[in-house]
Amino acid sequence: MITIQYAIIGGTGVYDSGVASIQKTVNTEYGKVEVDIAEVEGTSMVFLARHGKEHGIPPHLINYRANIKALQELGVQHIFATAAVGSLNPDYPTGSLVVLSDFMEMTKQRPLTFFEGGTDDVKHVNMDDPYCGNLRKHLLEAAKLHKIQFKGNAVYLCTEGPRFETEAEIRMMRKWGADVVGMTSVPEVVLAKELGMCYASVGFVVNMATGMESGPIQLESIGDMLARNKEKVNKMFLDIFSKTLDQQNCGCADSIVCL
Ligand code: HPA
């Protein structure tokens, strides 16, 4: 069995890592997962397209548990993800890149946990640092080096989708303190933590959220925005993987509380 410590989960518009890879199917108790495995400067890493290679899986139907379980079965400890987001914060206009620092959740019907009770103890997972602080530190350092401008640490609000939000919902979410809205980061970030993995995510602001500008959400610019940024962000992730990452400077490997 191969062991691969590092993974990239590509969101909308990011369907490969940009380096030569071999495809592999991982069978998990939650379902099959297709991944690409690549060797970059002597380091192995796995790439997983969250929505599938053809962008055919909508956010509410993604098999998040199979995806994260497959990465664990390959030996992954560190995950970088990308996520297309809408912005609620005028300081983060369309085209911005943000590092996610915390989340709120308004999902409704997706499986949210690996912890199903039964013969196991009742388990809870700490959420004091949902997006690994150590990986975020590496991201900010690498961004400086690569001259990639991150607009800020953003609070992400996850909706069920696939519909966009109403204006009233966006007004409420702004009052709550959300900066960006998307449909996929939860439960992905939670499941990674449940399995003791470090997880960080970069948000690509592809539109202003409903009501933040006049008229309906403009989607035309999404393709361009993603194409412009995916290559440099992937390259930055790969550069970080060429360093040795450990779990000594974060609590991710030790986040479970049993009552
Ligand atoms: N809302 C929810 N999810 C999104 C948006 C949005 O405006 N843009 C990209 N993903």
Side-chain angles (χ1 to χ4, degrees):
M1 181 71 184
I2 39 170
T3 295
I4 304 168
Q5 214 188 325
Y6 303 131
I8 296 174
I9 299 180
T12 299
V14 184
Y15 307 120
D16 63 70
S17 62
V19 291
S21 309
I22 52 162
Q23 294 192 339
K24 182 175 166 62
T25 303
V26 185
N27 289 303
T28 77
E29 63 194 280
Y30 300 100
K32 284 186 183 169
V33 179
E34 306 290 335
V35 296
D36 295 339
I37 291 174
E39 188 88 15
V40 188
E41 291 175 26
T43 304
S44 298
M45 71 112 202
V46 47
F47 177 87
L48 192 162
R50 182 188 291 124
H51 296 276
K53 290 270 181 205
E54 312 295 329
H55 200 245
I57 313 171
H60 60 300
L61 297 180
I62 291 168
N63 192 341
Y64 296 94
R65 291 194 297 188
N67 287 352
I68 297 296
K69 191 73 185 164
L71 297 184
Q72 187 203 34
E73 287 181 8
L74 291 169
V76 168
Q77 283 182 342
H78 297 90
I79 304 171
F80 282 119
T82 69
V85 295
S87 176
L88 292 73
N89 185 335
D91 291 340
Y92 305 160
T94 301
S96 307
L97 297 178
V98 295
V99 177
L100 307 187
S101 59
D102 207 342
F103 73 79
M104 302 180 205
E105 187 195 350
M106 285 179 67
T107 67
K108 294 188 176 72
Q109 60 157 25
R110 42 185 90 173
L112 294 170
T113 180
F114 288 116
F115 302 156
E116 299 281 7
T119 53
D120 281 351
D121 284 341
V122 172
K123 294 181 192 162
H124 304 275
V125 64
N126 273 323
M127 283 288 120
D128 59 315
D129 191 27
Y131 300 95
C132 172
N134 189 41
L135 281 192
R136 286 189 282 129
K137 188 172 106 332
H138 279 289
L139 265 182
L140 293 172
E141 284 169 7
K144 244 192 210 158
L145 213 67
H146 285 256
K147 299 194 173 22
I148 296 175
Q149 207 201 349
F150 283 127
K151 271 283 185 173
N153 285 318
V155 174
Y156 177 106
L157 194 148
C158 193
T159 66
E160 185 66 30
R163 70 169 175 85
F164 287 126
E165 301 69 40
T166 64
E167 278 193 47
E169 284 171 333
I170 293 296
R171 274 199 302 277
M172 172 187 74
M173 292 169 185
R174 290 186 75 185
K175 285 195 177 139
W176 284 357
D179 295 304
V180 294
V181 61
M183 303 173 188
T184 57
S185 197
V186 184
E188 201 169 86
V189 57
V190 177
L191 295 169
K193 189 80 87 191
E194 285 187 353
L195 297 187
M197 299 148 114
C198 297
Y199 177 103
S201 184
V202 172
F204 292 14
V205 178
V206 293
N207 60 279
M208 294 309 286
T210 309
M212 295 292 296
E213 292 176 339
S214 58
I217 284 180
Q218 298 297 322
L219 295 176
E220 295 92 282
S221 57
I222 288 185
D224 286 352
M225 194 269 163
L226 293 171
R228 258 201 326 277
N229 287 298
K230 75 165 195 187
E231 226 170 279
K232 55 184 181 183
V233 168
N234 265 342
K235 187 154 181 353
M236 182 181 69
F237 292 158
L238 296 176
D239 248 33
I240 301 172
F241 291 155
S242 71
K243 302 189 173 116
T244 307
L245 297 176
D246 58 34
Q247 294 196 302
Q248 310 301 315
N249 298 301
C250 63
C252 300
D254 190 24
S255 299
I256 308 301
V257 180
C258 294
L259 297 181

